Amino acid sequence: MWIFDSAYRDGGVDLWSKDGTVTKVHHQYDPPFLVHFRDPHAHAEMIDALGERYRAEVCIIRTIFGDLPGHSVYAGRDVAEAIEQQAGFDADLFNVDVRLDQRFMAGHGLFPCGNGDGSRFSPEFRHELDIASIRVRGNPAHAAFSDIELVHERAERLAGQEREVLADLFSLVAAADPDVLLMPDADSWMPKLQERARKLGLGMPFSRNGRYRKMESRSYWSYGRMEHKVPALIPDGRILIDTEQSFVYQEGGLGGVFMAARLSGLSPNLASRFTPGTLISSYEVCEAVKQGIAVPFRKSDPETARHVASLQAADRGGMMLQPEPGIYEDVEEIDFTSMYPTIIVRANLSPETIEHPERAGFLPAALAPLLQLRLDTKRLKKTDPRFAGIDSILKWMLVTCFGYTGYRNAKFGRIEVHEAITAKSRDILLQTKEIAEEMGFAVLHGIVDCLWVQGSPVAALQERVDRETRLSTDAEHFDWIVFLPQNDGSGAYNRYYGRHADGSVKAGGIAARRHDTPEYIRTMQRGMLAEMGTASTLAGLGEREERVREIYRDAVKRLPDADPGEMLISRRISRLTYAHRCVEGAAVDAYRRSGGGIEPGMKIRYVVRDARRYIVDTEWDAGKFDVPYYRELVEKAWREVEYAFPAGRKGKRVPEIGDFEE
């Protein structure tokens, strides 16, 4: 029974599974929420009323801080919120907002994307799911379904009158009956597709029982930037993945989605639509349910009042060492594997262990198997690329587990834990720096969990660092590496590129790595870096200079005749109104004129037609572009690469990331 979809419906949980054939089983399930009254006598009347109306039963509530006397109440969230409103801070509620299908599976030893007879922490898992892909060509804002491609066993191009195209599409989907549908911009297209099907009198067979779940749209702040989720229409009994908007799918592929589902206890439909932060939070909730630990509805352990001296001593950020800009030969990068979660596990850091370090913490116990799984997949991907996507998702989930310890609404977070982690990470990086220097290495740069050094033997350095820090490290060799400068001439913390021994070039913070860079410029810079990657020494790199300059000159020459589609700039907008005229504001206006809905946090793609007059076209109606404007972007990307050569380092300023913003 390989579970691939789940939903709470009609007073129970529907589980869709495949074992040769697709089966749906409905399980009646009506679990209670839990409530602890700090002064039960003050609320005796309410407790009696709950017992009479909702079968409230006396129970012991197990929390990470200890056991509490309480009541289990067989009612829904509306009743829990009514208790909260009436009792205020005198009532602590638990298990109110845990997804019921997730809670059911966790409580019964089941998990999505598995048979339930093996460990969900195993990187080795197989599936028999049938996969098809659908691509609708056009602008979702206009929703014209006249050109669609379906790929199952072969590609089918459907074009013509909308009714015939949709009828053919639905017929092909019904006949193929795939378990997984991969669809770019699925969440933008699906509501419109359903609406058109109804108006045309066509039955849409994407759901296996005719029912769909809706996810509402919302804009929200995350890690300092505005994000947006478009509304989703999820079919029952089938996996529908928005391949364009799903971060999990783009980072990890289908294997990454399935692993995220296995760990979080959420169906692949949800796992593919959530952020790594939501996934790690769901994973912690899943682990709590499995262990019988109550999940708090609202946090009741906010940051306590502290002395100013305590706040000044608290370490709220990671350690960074500023590099001297320039180009260096024979450099080693020492990178700690999942430093922050390892610190949580090794130092037993959890909300309940801050005052009681002798206790076994919930977070360390929950993260330990996840951390081991990451170490396994990182090792496996070196010889088998199948594990690369899974490893990427694990990396992101473990990265965000640190951030969630300081998130005020995290179910199992606390700011003191967050501070303790960063304090220990700072000590570890400084300790590693001191070890390297003691062994005769020159330390060039350091960022939170990695250090760049020159010297040898690196294996001896790595062995000593691993032993003395009790953390696992990886070492990467660079034949040469470039650290770019900031405006003031000092070294940039996160802008670099360098050559590995296999000829590949690793880069960070430059145009080729930025999501908003037009493809034309990205291709140019990647081509230059690939040419530079053929040189293993600085002398050899100098010999490639003319060829690299030729790539730049060729890009400038071809620019006026380039395809406007290659000039698309991708941006995530944080607002809809602008005090001053700017290109991004013009792009927002262009989206409005195109008829598409636009909300803060959405990603938009546009082409600048006239920068001086702020005329911008959306990705669907771009026909011309402002050549001088894009010529300047080409020049900025070129100057990042030119800095690797002597002529580029003689008093020329290298553009910073902010220079690419509008």
Side-chain angles (χ1 to χ4, degrees):
M1 186 179 72
W2 206 88
I3 300 168
F4 64 88
D5 194 23
S6 63
Y8 188 80
R9 288 195 181 281
D10 306 322
V13 174
D14 286 344
L15 295 182
W16 295 81
S17 62
K18 187 169 186 179
D19 186 8
T21 59
V22 174
T23 306
K24 186 197 82 169
V25 178
H26 181 79
H27 303 267
Q28 287 298 127
Y29 188 58
D30 185 24
F33 65 80
L34 309 175
V35 57
H36 161 70
F37 292 101
R38 301 183 186 186
D39 184 0
H41 299 293
H43 303 284
E45 225 176 281
M46 182 193 297
I47 294 171
D48 290 342
L50 289 171
E52 291 175 8
R53 188 167 181 181
Y54 299 110
R55 207 180 101 210
E57 300 171 348
V58 175
C59 69
I60 297 297
I61 303 172
R62 184 185 172 203
T63 78
I64 63 172
F65 296 99
D67 291 346
L68 297 172
H71 293 80
S72 57
V73 182
Y74 288 82
R77 178 170 177 156
D78 56 336
V79 175
E81 290 177 336
I83 293 172
E84 184 180 54
Q85 185 175 11
Q86 185 170 338
F89 291 110
D90 202 28
D92 297 314
L93 292 147
F94 301 87
N95 293 351
V96 174
D97 55 347
V98 180
R99 292 179 181 273
L100 292 178
D101 52 340
Q102 179 195 33
R103 185 175 170 184
F104 174 84
M105 285 189 282
H108 288 78
L110 302 172
F111 55 87
C113 303
N115 295 315
D117 56 356
S119 170
R120 68 194 230 273
F121 296 104
S122 171
E124 294 275 7
F125 59 90
R126 306 284 180 179
H127 69 85
E128 301 176 359
L129 302 184
D130 191 41
I131 303 169
S133 64
I134 296 174
R135 178 179 293 275
V136 182
R137 291 180 170 82
N139 179 355
H142 298 155
F145 298 99
S146 57
D147 190 351
I148 301 176
E149 181 182 61
L150 171 68
V151 179
H152 186 232
E153 294 177 351
R154 64 177 187 274
E156 298 275 358
R157 182 77 178 272
L158 310 173
Q161 294 296 317
E162 186 177 60
R163 194 181 197 289
E164 285 71 24
V165 168
L166 290 181
D168 289 345
L169 172 66
F170 296 161
S171 176
L172 289 169
V173 170
D177 195 25
D179 307 304
V180 181
L181 285 172
L182 306 177
M183 185 176 180
D185 295 313
D187 292 343
S188 297
W189 284 112
M190 281 293 290
K192 299 174 176 65
L193 186 62
Q194 185 184 57
E195 181 184 352
R196 293 302 299 155
R198 284 174 178 167
K199 287 185 177 180
L200 294 170
L202 300 172
M204 191 168 71
F206 287 15
S207 167
R208 280 188 159 125
N209 62 1
R211 303 177 76 175
Y212 294 82
R213 288 156 277 164
K214 291 183 179 180
M215 292 179 66
E216 300 299 327
S217 65
R218 64 189 182 99
S219 296
Y220 58 97
W221 279 100
S222 176
Y223 286 90
R225 71 177 187 180
M226 183 66 73
E227 302 275 358
H228 181 76
K229 282 189 177 297
V230 299
L233 193 66
I234 301 173
D236 276 12
R238 211 184 302 275
I239 300 171
L240 175 66
I241 296 178
D242 187 328
T243 58
E244 186 70 27
Q245 301 299 326
S246 170
F247 175 85
V248 176
Y249 180 80
Q250 292 195 340
E251 283 288 317
L254 206 52
V257 171
F258 290 163
M259 177 55 80
R262 287 164 67 91
L263 295 173
S264 66
L266 303 170
S267 74
N269 277 311
L270 295 181
S272 69
R273 287 170 171 81
F274 287 158
T275 65
T278 301
L279 291 175
I280 194 66
S281 179
S282 298
Y283 166 76
E284 292 171 3
V285 167
C286 184
E287 286 298 295
V289 173
K290 286 171 66 67
Q291 297 175 35
I293 296 172
V295 180
F297 181 36
R298 317 278 191 204
K299 283 191 59 180
S300 58
D301 57 336
E303 185 175 6
T304 56
R306 290 187 284 174
H307 293 294
V308 172
S310 172
L311 291 172
Q312 288 175 334
D315 193 346
R316 295 175 180 266
M319 179 73 174
M320 291 193 290
L321 308 174
Q322 192 168 29
E324 184 67 28
I327 185 166
Y328 300 85
E329 203 164 15
D330 289 326
V331 174
E332 313 292 340
E333 179 184 345
I334 307 297
D335 185 15
F336 288 94
T337 301
S338 299
M339 175 191 268
Y340 283 170
T342 302
I343 290 173
I344 293 172
V345 172
R346 296 283 169 82
N348 191 36
L349 296 176
S350 195
E352 75 277 25
T353 65
I354 295 297
E355 282 83 19
H356 301 280
E358 74 283 356
R359 291 183 179 177
F362 168 74
L363 279 183
L367 292 177
L370 197 62
L371 185 59
Q372 183 57 53
L373 177 57
R374 170 82 211 284
L375 295 174
D376 292 341
T377 57
K378 191 168 185 178
R379 171 180 50 82
L380 289 168
K381 75 175 183 179
K382 293 178 180 179
T383 56
D384 191 339
R386 287 187 303 121
F387 296 99
I390 295 174
D391 181 70
S392 179
I393 294 307
L394 292 171
K395 177 191 75 173
W396 282 106
M397 288 178 66
L398 286 167
V399 164
T400 54
C401 80
F402 157 72
Y404 262 57
T405 60
Y407 177 44
R408 65 177 181 176
N409 294 323
K411 301 294 188 184
F412 303 103
R414 187 168 172 177
I415 190 63
E416 291 89 344
V417 175
H418 190 274
E419 292 170 351
I421 296 167
T422 54
K424 290 182 181 298
S425 74
R426 178 189 176 95
D427 290 343
I428 289 168
L429 195 67
L430 287 174
Q431 180 186 4
T432 304
K433 174 180 179 291
E434 291 168 0
I435 293 172
E437 291 175 337
E438 183 184 320
M439 295 179 66
F441 287 80
V443 176
L444 304 177
H445 186 19
I447 306 178
V448 181
D449 62 352
C450 60
L451 207 66
W452 285 268
V453 300
Q454 279 181 317
S456 65
V458 68
L461 171 62
Q462 190 181 356
E463 188 276 331
R464 183 176 167 186
V465 169
D466 288 5
R467 184 179 71 253
E468 295 191 16
T469 65
R470 297 176 58 235
L471 271 67
S472 175
T473 61
D474 274 338
E476 283 187 318
H477 175 77
F478 288 88
D479 292 326
W480 51 261
I481 189 169
V482 175
F483 296 120
L484 293 171
Q486 301 184 103
N487 274 342
D488 60 4
S490 62
Y493 290 102
N494 59 349
R495 299 175 63 219
Y496 66 91
Y497 52 89
R499 182 194 192 271
H500 285 152
D502 62 0
S504 63
V505 176
K506 180 180 179 180
I510 63 174
R513 290 296 307 275
R514 286 173 55 81
H515 296 297
D516 59 351
T517 300
E519 191 58 35
Y520 186 87
I521 296 167
R522 191 191 318 278
T523 300
M524 177 199 74
Q525 197 176 69
R526 282 178 175 171
M528 292 188 286
L529 293 176
E531 177 63 30
M532 295 164 72
T534 63
S536 60
T537 64
L538 296 188
L541 185 61
E543 294 171 1
R544 305 304 195 277
E545 179 176 358
E546 185 52 37
R547 172 57 191 145
V548 173
R549 288 184 179 276
E550 183 57 37
I551 294 173
Y552 160 64
R553 288 192 289 263
D554 181 63
V556 172
K557 180 181 178 182
R558 293 186 297 104
L559 181 63
D561 299 319
D563 182 352
E566 293 186 277
M567 301 300 155
L568 287 169
I569 296 172
S570 178
R571 289 280 167 81
R572 187 182 300 278
I573 59 169
S574 59
R575 50 188 171 152
L576 301 181
T577 59
Y578 296 80
H580 305 285
R581 295 184 68 193
C582 62
V583 169
E584 190 171 290
V588 170
D589 290 339
Y591 263 75
R592 284 201 186 98
R593 290 194 302 271
S594 73
I598 188 164
E599 298 291 341
M602 285 181 62
K603 283 184 178 178
I604 61 175
R605 299 204 302 167
Y606 59 88
V607 172
V608 179
R609 178 153 44 106
D610 189 330
R612 293 182 63 187
R613 294 191 295 161
Y614 300 105
I615 300 176
V616 172
D617 295 324
T618 67
E619 60 182 299
W620 301 290
D621 45 34
K624 296 180 179 180
F625 60 90
D626 188 326
V627 174
Y629 175 84
Y630 285 93
R631 172 71 172 81
E632 179 59 25
L633 296 185
V634 168
E635 180 67 21
K636 290 175 180 178
W638 157 243
R639 292 205 298 271
E640 290 181 325
V641 173
E642 186 189 24
Y643 188 78
F645 304 108
R649 295 195 295 275
K650 289 181 179 178
K652 292 188 177 180
R653 188 181 76 84
V654 177
E656 295 190 51
I657 285 182
D659 294 337
F660 291 87
E661 302 290 352
E662 300 303 331

